[in-house]
Amino acid sequence: MVSASEDQNRRMLRARDAMDRSYAEPLDVPSLARIAYVSEAHFIRTFKETFGETPHRYLQRRRIERAMWDLRASGKPITDIALAVGFTSLGTFSRTFREVVGVSPSEYRTRTAGDVGPAPTCFRMAWQRPRERHGEASSFGEADPVAPDLVSRS
């Protein structure tokens, strides 16, 4: 028999998995709450209790992580990357990117040119995730992905 908390966690994981799969599509709280079989208010509250951030923040972080990868790995225009990861305007993308990463998308691309070099994928991913900026608390609770040693290597 499944306990109530285990059932709740499974429902939240199902919604989070849907966000991971469809981050580039327009997602809203009502559709995610339906995936989790809970009301919208209960979904927002329980998602935050379970994962430590609101569904909106989680979705933004996933989109920014994907955009960071695209900025490092491709020469696509920033507008195309913003639209491809699910943002509907370049302004919103740039503002959110700066809030999370601490630099503009174009500055991030410039700083990460040449990048990390050979390393296991898990280390590269952990090193390049959005993190807390130095001396400044991030609403994502993570540290600066553009570490000073990265800038000095490029």
Side-chain angles (χ1 to χ4, degrees), residues 23-130:
Y23 65 88
E25 299 172 15
L27 294 171
D28 57 7
V29 169
S31 63
L32 293 169
R34 278 193 300 276
I35 291 170
Y37 299 110
V38 295
S39 72
E40 296 171 28
H42 185 73
F43 173 70
I44 294 170
R45 186 176 53 251
T46 306
F47 191 93
K48 186 171 183 178
E49 287 172 9
T50 305
F51 300 114
E53 59 189 345
T54 64
H56 178 71
R57 249 332 175 190
Y58 180 80
L59 183 59
Q60 280 188 325
R61 186 166 56 83
R62 300 308 277 165
R63 288 175 172 167
I64 293 297
E65 287 174 354
R66 180 60 194 189
M68 290 170 69
W69 187 88
D70 279 348
L71 287 167
R72 287 189 310 268
S74 76
K76 295 180 196 170
I78 292 173
T79 303
D80 291 352
I81 291 173
L83 298 175
V85 297
F87 285 91
T88 55
S89 82
L90 180 59
T92 303
F93 170 71
S94 294
R95 182 175 33 81
T96 306
F97 193 93
R98 184 179 288 277
E99 285 175 13
V100 173
V101 180
V103 296
S104 69
S106 58
E107 188 175 346
Y108 178 80
R109 174 177 270 169
T110 303
R111 286 184 178 191
T112 57
D115 208 341
V116 188
T121 302
C122 59
F123 287 108
R124 292 175 60 113
M125 290 176 69
W127 186 57
Q128 295 169 339
R129 293 189 86 184

Side-chain angles (χ1 to χ4, degrees), residues 6-22:
E6 188 175 335
D7 182 53
Q8 179 177 290
N9 288 343
R10 286 183 180 176
R11 291 170 186 243
M12 293 302 114
L13 281 170
R14 190 173 21 234
R16 192 177 75 171
D17 288 347
M19 293 166 80
D20 288 341
R21 280 191 312 270
S22 307

